[in-house]
């Protein structure tokens, strides 16, 4: 049964947006906050807020000298450093092309890797069977792909979902015309980048804190679901595929990219799709494992999903700092939720 959430309390609001509020589920009695315009609708609210809630308190940037002092004092590999590394990597990939202060070098990585994945996947998917009105962008990070999807489908509403609150704030603010992120130079040395942007389709994109494996949206309503480089970041990748299959309507498409960069920090080894058990028929290959899961005859396959196009070795990278970027070769797949 679907129980729509009710707006139980409204704090701050503007003419067009609710900035702070409390959502209430009349069925299970759970409450979910809306903070800084971001609804936080996750199954374990206490865990997310205790681990990441502080990111919301830091939404107005610190004075640069103070930020640098805090960075040194809180230290490398701290929550503060990890937050800034994420903001730097995904803020840069998403928006550095629009930053007047960004200097591109011939030999360095070019921003926009995630958008290039989206563009290629949309191309591979071809024209949709009917107009696209609802799109989910799961693991949307700093949100630029959500805006790109809104631009590609001018009738669609796009929901970008992620569990990284600081990235969602970056995305939300970009939608309102300003990008601000700490760009990592080296170590814990960062430069604050702040610039105006005008993103097409921004008024049709919204950002929620949501676990992709437990989506707070009605089943079967999305025309298109996108999950770029997310499969190897979740605790249960198979459950992510099932969650995507539930979210999309019959005949709808799922755009997937993955470098199969498994790590036990994100995913227990027994949940990896490939990357182990090289003695088995799949030989430890993620591609073979995933293909079997999506279109194989085995009883373990996910019957609602089928592959309609794929491409191997598509370039995607993450910039770490001025002297380092990690280059991946991702596997791109267009899936279809089989019609009933
Ligand atoms: C490797 S990054 C990819 C970001 C972006 N899609 C891209 O391709 O550049 C994975 C993103 O997924 C988010 N993420 C990880 N686990 C998640 C989950 N269970 N639900 C939603 N987002 C998640 C992370 O916070 C991060 O922003």
């Amino acid at each position: 049964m679907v129980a729509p959430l009710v707006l139980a309390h409204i704090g701050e609001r503007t003419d067009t947006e609710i900035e702070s509020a409390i959502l209430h589920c009349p069925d299970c009695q759970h409450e979910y906050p809306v903070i800084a315009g971001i609804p936080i609708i996750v199954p374990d609210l206490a865990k997310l807020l205790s681990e990441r809630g502080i990111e919301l308190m830091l939404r107005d940037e610190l004075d640069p000298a103070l930020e640098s002092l805090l960075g040194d004092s809180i230290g490398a590999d701290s929550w503060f450093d990890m937050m800034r590394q994420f903001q730097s990597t995904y803020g840069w990939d998403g928006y550095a092309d629009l930053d007047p202060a960004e200097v591109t070098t011939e030999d360095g990585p070019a921003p926009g890797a995630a958008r290039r994945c989206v563009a290629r996947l949309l191309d591979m998917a071809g024209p949709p069977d009917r107009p696209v009105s609802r799109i989910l962008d799961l693991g949307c990070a700093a949100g630029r792909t959500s805006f790109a999807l809104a631009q590609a489908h001018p009738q669609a509403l796009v929901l970008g979902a992620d569990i990284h609150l600081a990235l969602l704030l970056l995305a939300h603010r970009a939608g309102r015309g300003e990008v601000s992120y700490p760009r990592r130079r080296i170590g814990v040395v960062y430069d604050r980048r702040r610039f105006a942007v005008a993103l097409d389709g921004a008024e049709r994109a919204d950002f929620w804190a949501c676990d992709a494996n437990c989506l707070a949206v009605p089943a079967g309503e999305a025309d298109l679901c996108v999950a770029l480089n997310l499969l190897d970041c979740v605790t249960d990748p198979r459950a992510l595929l099932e969650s995507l299959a539930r979210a999309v309507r019959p005949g709808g498409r799922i755009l997937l990219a993955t470098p199969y960069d498994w790590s036990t920090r994100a995913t227990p080894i027994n949940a990896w799709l490939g990357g182990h058990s090289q003695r088995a028929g799949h030989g430890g290959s993620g591609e073979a494992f995933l293909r079997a899961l999506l279109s194989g005859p085995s009883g373990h396959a996910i019957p609602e999903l089928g592959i309609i196009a794929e491409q191997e070795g598509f370039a995607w990278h993450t910039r770490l700092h001025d002297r380092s970027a990690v280059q991946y070769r991702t596997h791109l797949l267009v899936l279809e939720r089989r019609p009933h």
Side-chain angles (χ1 to χ4, degrees), residues 116-185:
R116 287 190 285 279
C117 280
V118 169
R120 178 66 195 126
L121 280 160
L122 286 172
D123 220 34
M124 287 161 61
D129 59 344
R130 58 168 122 136
V132 171
S133 63
R134 282 170 202 271
I135 303 177
L136 290 175
D137 182 11
L138 306 181
C140 66
R144 184 74 187 275
T145 50
S146 308
F147 299 122
L149 287 161
Q151 204 178 348
H153 291 288
Q155 308 303 321
L157 297 176
V158 183
L159 179 60
D162 205 290
I163 48 166
H164 204 289
L165 302 179
L167 292 180
L168 290 167
L169 284 174
L170 208 167
H172 185 254
R173 192 162 169 176
R176 291 170 164 199
E178 188 184 49
V179 168
S180 172
Y181 77 98
R183 185 187 184 282
R184 189 174 180 214
R185 252 193 266 167

Side-chain angles (χ1 to χ4, degrees), residues 90 93 113-119 121-122 136-141 144-146 149 162 225-233 240 244 254-259 316 330-333:
Y90 296 108
D93 188 61
R115 269 181 304 132
R116 287 190 285 279
C117 280
V118 169
L121 280 160
L122 286 172
L136 290 175
D137 182 11
L138 306 181
C140 66
R144 184 74 187 275
T145 50
S146 308
L149 287 161
D162 205 290
C225 281
V226 178
L228 299 183
N229 306 306
L230 175 63
L231 201 65
D232 56 7
C233 297
L240 174 63
L244 289 163
I254 295 168
L255 309 183
L256 212 60
T258 177
W316 175 70
T330 61
H331 186 192
L332 303 183
L333 296 110

Side-chain angles (χ1 to χ4, degrees), residues 30 44 50 67 72 76 82 107 111 114 151 164 179 185 262 285:
H30 282 148
D44 195 343
S50 62
E67 182 173 336
D72 291 347
M82 296 322 291
D107 55 345
Q151 204 178 348
H164 204 289
V179 168
R185 252 193 266 167
W262 304 111
S285 139

